[in-house]
C-alpha cells in the first residue's frame, strides 16, 4: 500500500478494531485506490477517501416486539447512512442473527460505489437487525417489522433514504414495513423498493439481482470469446439472488448443478431444470423449508450437510463458472484454491463480498475472471432505482421495458469497469475497474459539494 492508503487503513483499524468485515471491505478498496491516488492530487487535498470511510450517520436502535407466546423480545436495529453525495441514501435491510455494526458498515460502504456504477442518482446505505425470521410465524414477522419501522420511519423518506430487501427481507417483510410507514406518516410514497406489484413495486425487481449478475458475467465472457451456453455452473445459496441466477443461467443454455443454504448443499449432476427450480421457489419462498428436501424429492441428488468452517464442498466440484450467491466470505482461501485447481474460469459474485481477501487475490493472480459484487450484483439496486423513478412518475413500466433498461445498465457497468481497468490497472481486473469507476463519480460530487 502507499503511504496515504496505509494511513487510512491503520486509522480505520485503530478506531474500530473489532469491525473485521468493514476493515476487509475498506482494505480491498484501498488496494484499488493505490492505482490512482498519485494521479489525483485533489482527492488527497480534499481528503475524499478519509471522508468516505466514515459514514455520514449510523443509527442504532432498540426493537421490542411480542412473540406468539406473549413474551417480549428485544432486537437491535441499524441504519448506516454512508453517503448522500449522489442521491438519497439507498440500500437494503438485512434480518439475520449475525447482523452487527461491522457487517452493516461494510455493506453500506460497498453500496455507495455499487450505486454510483449504476449511473442512477442514488447515495448509499444499509440497515437491518439481528432478528432471525427463521421459524417465526407471519404474525411475529409482522409485529417485528412494525416495531422496527416505529423507529426507522423518522430517519427515512423518498428523498432522504430508501431501504429495500437483502438477506431475510423479501416481499413479505417489505410489505409489512411499507404498511407501517404509510400508517405512521399518513403518506403513500416510494419510501421502500421491492414492494408488491399491487402497491408500487416494479416488475422485474425480484428477478433483477440474479438476472443482472448473469447479464454482467455474460458480457465479461463474451469479451474473452467464451459463453455460458453448454457450460456447467456452481451456484450457492437458494434465496432470491440464487434462484434468479439459476433461472437466467438456464435461459442462456448453461447447466447449474448446485444450490445450498446455511445447513448444507445439494449436487444435482443432471442440472437444476426450470421445473426443479419452480420446486425450489415454492420450497424456499412459500414453505420456507430446507434445501435438503430437494435431495429427498429428486433421485440421483447428493446432499452434503455443512460442517465447520473449513473448505466448503460446494467449491470443490468441477465446473466452468461459479456464482456465490449466499453471503460474505463464503469462499475462503482453501475454497479458492480448490476452484483454481479444478480449472474454474469465472467467479461471478452475486452475494456481497463473498470472497475473502486472500481468495480474491488468488483469483486475480491466477487469471480467473472475477466479477466483483459491487458491479456484478448491482442489478438489484438498479431496478430499485427504476422503481423509485416509476413511483415518482406514478406509472408502471412493462417487464420488457424494465428488463431492457436492466440489460443496458449492466452493459454500461461492464464498460465503465473495463475501461477503468484498462486505463489504471490491468486488463480484465474488474475489481480495480469497478472500485475506480465507482469511486471517481462519488469523489467528483463530494469535491463539488464542499466539506459536508
Ligand atoms: P435470501 O435471504 O433470499 O437468501 C439468502 C441465502 O443465503 C439463503 O439460502 C441462506 O440460507 C443463505 N445464507 C445466508 N446467510 C448465510 C450464512 N451465514 N451461511 C450460509 N448461508 C447463508 O437473501 P438474498 O438472496 O437476497 O441475498 C443473498 C446475497 O446477495 C447477500 O449477500 C445479499 O447481500 C446479496 N444481494 C442481494 C440483493 C437483493 O436484491 N436481494 C442485491 C444485491 C446483493 P438459509 O436459508 O439457511 O439462511
Ligand atoms: O446489496 C444490495 O444491493 C441490495 N440488497 C439491494 C439494495 C436495494 O436498494 O435494492
Amino acid at each position: 500500500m502507499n503511504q496515504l492508503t496505509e494511513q487510512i487503513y491503520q486509522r480505520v483499524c485503530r478506531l474500530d478494531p473489532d469491525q473485521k468485515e468493514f476493515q476487509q471491505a475498506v482494505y480491498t478498496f484501498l488496494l484499488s485506490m493505490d492505482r490512482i491516488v498519485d494521479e489525483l492530487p485533489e482527492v488527497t487535498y480534499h481528503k475524499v477517501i478519509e471522508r468516505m470511510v466514515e459514514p455520514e450517520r449510523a443509527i442504532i436502535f432498540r426493537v421490542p416486539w411480542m412473540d406468539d407466546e406473549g413474551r417480549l423480545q428485544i432486537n437491535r436495529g441499524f441504519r448506516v447512512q454512508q453517503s448522500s453525495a449522489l442521491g438519497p441514501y439507498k440500500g437494503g435491510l438485512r434480518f439475520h442473527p449475525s447482523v452487527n455494526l461491522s457487517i452493516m458498515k461494510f455493506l453500506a460502504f460497498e453500496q455507495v460505489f455499487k450505486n454510483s456504477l449504476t449511473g442512477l442518482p442514488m447515495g448509499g446505505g444499509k440497515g437491518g437487525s439481528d432478528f432471525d425470521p427463521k421459524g417465526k410465524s407471519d404474525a411475529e414477522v409482522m409485529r417485528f417489522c412494525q416495531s422496527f419501522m416505529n423507529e426507522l420511519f423518522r430517519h427515512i423518506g423518498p428523498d432522504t433514504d430508501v431501504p429495500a430487501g437483502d438477506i431475510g427481507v423479501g416481499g413479505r417483510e417489505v410489505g409489512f414495513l411499507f404498511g407501517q410507514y404509510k400508517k405512521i406518516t399518513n403518506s403513500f410514497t416510494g419510501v421502500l423498493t421491492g414492494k408488491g406489484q399491487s402497491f408500487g413495486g416494479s416488475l422485474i425487481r425480484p428477478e433483477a439481482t440474479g438476472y443482472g449478475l448473469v447479464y454482467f458475467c455474460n458480457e465479461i465472457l463474451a469479451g474473452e470469446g467464451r459463453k455460458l451456453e453448454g457450460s456447467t455452473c456452481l451456484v450457492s445459496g437458494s434465496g432470491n439472488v440464487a434462484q434468479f441466477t439459476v433461472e437466467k443461467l438456464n435461459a442462456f443454455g448453461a447447466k447449474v448443478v448446485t444450490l445450498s443454504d446455511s445447513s448444507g448443499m445439494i449436487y444435482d449432476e443432471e442440472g437444476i431444470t426450470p421445473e426443479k427450480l419452480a420446486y425450489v421457489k415454492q420450497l424456499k419462498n412459500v414453505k420456507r423449508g430446507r434445501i435438503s428436501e430437494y435431495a429427498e424429492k429428486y433421485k440421483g441428488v447428493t446432499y452434503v450437510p455443512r460442517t465447520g468452517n473449513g473448505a466448503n464442498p460446494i467449491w470443490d466440484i468441477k465446473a466452468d463458472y461459479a456464482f456465490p450467491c449466499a453471503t460474505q466470505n463464503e469462499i475462503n482461501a482453501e475454497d479458492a484454491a480448490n476452484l483454481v485447481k479444478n480449472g474454474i474460469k469465472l467467479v461471478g459474485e452475486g452475494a456481497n463480498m463473498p470472497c475473502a481477501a486472500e481468495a480474491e487475490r488468488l483469483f486475480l493472480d491466477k487469471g480467473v475472471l472475477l466479477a466483483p459484487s459491487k458491479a456484478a450484483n448491482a442489478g438489484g439496486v438498479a431496478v430499485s432505482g427504476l422503481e423509485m423513478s416509476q413511483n415518482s412518475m406514478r406509472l408502471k413500466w412493462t417487464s420488457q421495458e424494465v428488463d431492457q433498461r436492466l440489460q443496458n445498465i449492466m452493459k454500461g457497468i461492464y464498460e465503465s469497469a473495463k475501461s477503468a481497468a484498462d486505463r489504471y490497472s490491468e486488463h480484465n481486473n474488474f475489481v480495480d475497474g469497478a472500485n475506480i469507476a465507482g469511486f471517481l463519480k462519488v469523489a467528483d460530487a463530494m469535491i463539488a459539494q464542499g466539506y459536508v
Side-chain angles (χ1 to χ4, degrees), residues 316-337:
D316 202 7
I317 293 170
K318 196 167 167 49
D320 301 295
Y321 313 129
F323 298 89
C325 296
T327 193
Q328 65 275 356
N329 291 325
E330 57 171 310
I331 298 185
N332 62 26
E334 222 179 314
D335 296 321

Side-chain angles (χ1 to χ4, degrees), residues 113 117 372 374-375 416-417 420-421 429-439:
F113 308 106
L117 284 167
K374 58 173 78 66
S416 10
N429 187 330
F430 296 100
V431 174
D432 281 344
N435 281 332
I436 293 168
F439 166 83

Side-chain angles (χ1 to χ4, degrees), residues 1 34 51 87 195 244 450:
M1 274 190 167
D34 276 347
R51 284 193 277 156
K195 298 183 290 299
F244 290 102

